[in-house]
Amino acid sequence: MRRLPVNTVPTWLASGHNRTPLILLHGMGSTASVWLPQLDAFGPSRQVIAWTMPGYGQSPLLPALSWSNLAAALANMLDTLSINKAHILGHSIGGMVAQEFYHHFPCRVASLILSSTSAGFGSTDPEWKETFLRQRTEPLSQFDSFSQAAPVLLDQFLGPRTSPAMRNLATLSARAIERERYIDYMRLLVTFDRKTELGNITVPTLLLAGELDDQAPPKGMQRMANRLPNARLHQFQQTKHMANLESPDTFNRVVTDFLASICTSTCRSAA
């Protein structure tokens, strides 16, 4: 796989003890700052990097936006930080990037944590895809910027129990997104399909689903879990699409327990 000359760097970094690093990949309507509750929780115990996808915030555009190029850009960032292997936590489209990264660089992945995502987006019918894109992009035309549209869009993704502080964080995180880049990623989103490769993912995998999420419904994530050789599923109650903000304490505990179980299993095997 060709390495791209893209200087993609982390926007946020927390450096804790010498454990396998944790990489956080945000969703399409967020930037790296959406992971602040996780950086605060995990940073004291391990190196944690929240990646900003190319074209978002200060991360430069890719020469061509594609799944393989996103995986290569992520690999470049890890090389820059001298990270050979990491736990990869991807949310929504970030979960798709995580799967793509594993497809190209399986030896660099210690585990996968896939939050509110899927292995293939929606229908393969071209007409359905065009309808979906039109429904998602046309409402943006009534706003001068994506920043103005963000509070309205977030109502679809955040449940009623989300605290005002976390809702404000979600809104602030979206301010660094240009409308054109959001649309570019939306068009890429509908092309993702790694369903046939799910059985090849052998690392420990945690799937995280929101009970009320209609973007990545729990039933779909359960089907993913059933096809993965080494997976478990956790469902957050009364939660929509952004559990890391809607229920940050529970989200952090579930991820912490999962990572601890991997360490325990590895230590037992070594013994």
Side-chain angles (χ1 to χ4, degrees):
M1 183 180 184
R2 184 171 64 92
R3 295 297 182 89
L4 297 173
V6 177
N7 186 25
T8 304
V9 296
T11 298
W12 302 90
L13 185 146
S15 185
H17 299 298
N18 186 25
R19 296 181 178 178
T20 302
L22 174 64
I23 312 299
L24 307 174
L25 311 180
H26 61 79
M28 188 158 48
S30 306
T31 51
S33 59
V34 78
W35 295 114
L36 284 175
Q38 285 65 54
L39 287 158
D40 183 57
F42 306 138
S45 62
R46 71 175 67 244
Q47 186 181 24
V48 187
I49 296 98
W51 188 49
T52 296
M53 291 194 297
Y56 277 43
Q58 298 301 310
S59 282
L61 288 168
L62 289 168
L65 184 60
S66 69
W67 294 109
S68 59
N69 283 353
L70 284 170
L74 179 56
N76 284 352
M77 186 197 73
L78 297 184
D79 290 342
T80 300
L81 296 172
S82 299
I83 295 174
N84 293 321
K85 196 168 191 174
H87 302 288
I88 310 292
L89 194 171
H91 171 72
S92 196
I93 195 173
M96 298 176 185
V97 175
Q99 293 172 69
E100 186 72 18
F101 182 80
Y102 182 89
H103 175 73
H104 293 286
F105 305 100
C107 293
R108 304 194 70 170
V109 180
S111 74
L112 285 172
I113 304 171
L114 305 176
S115 170
S116 296
T117 190
S118 68
F121 190 84
S123 171
T124 57
D125 178 43
E127 185 175 345
W128 182 92
K129 290 182 178 182
E130 284 304 315
T131 300
F132 173 84
L133 288 169
R134 185 171 61 254
Q135 291 173 343
R136 288 300 186 92
T137 58
E138 284 183 351
L140 296 177
S141 62
Q142 62 184 295
F143 299 97
D144 293 333
S145 66
F146 186 81
S147 178
Q148 290 183 358
V152 177
L153 296 176
L154 286 169
D155 285 338
Q156 305 173 50
F157 305 127
L158 292 171
R161 300 199 307 178
T162 309
S163 72
M166 292 297 99
R167 189 174 289 273
N168 287 339
L169 176 57
T171 303
L172 289 170
S173 179
R175 287 186 176 177
I177 301 173
E178 296 180 14
R179 179 166 48 194
E180 292 74 13
R181 300 292 80 74
Y182 180 85
I183 293 173
D184 288 344
Y185 272 92
M186 184 69 71
R187 291 194 172 279
L188 180 68
L189 177 72
V190 301
T191 69
F192 187 71
D193 187 358
R194 286 289 181 193
K195 293 188 291 292
T196 59
E197 284 90 1
L198 279 176
N200 297 330
I201 298 177
T202 58
V203 295
T205 303
L206 174 64
L207 286 86
L208 303 173
E211 179 187 19
L212 308 178
D213 189 359
D214 58 4
Q215 308 296 316
K219 287 184 178 179
M221 298 206 69
Q222 182 62 65
R223 287 194 294 270
M224 281 183 67
N226 293 342
R227 297 179 62 182
L228 288 161
N230 189 10
R232 68 184 77 169
L233 172 69
H234 180 88
Q235 181 173 304
F236 296 95
Q237 302 303 308
Q238 296 298 305
T239 300
K240 284 190 176 182
H241 191 62
M242 302 181 73
N244 70 299
L245 296 183
E246 296 175 71
S247 303
D249 292 340
T250 304
F251 184 96
N252 296 342
R253 175 180 56 78
V254 171
V255 171
T256 297
D257 290 348
F258 171 70
L259 295 176
S261 72
I262 296 173
C263 178
T264 300
S265 176
T266 302
C267 291
R268 285 176 179 171
S269 298

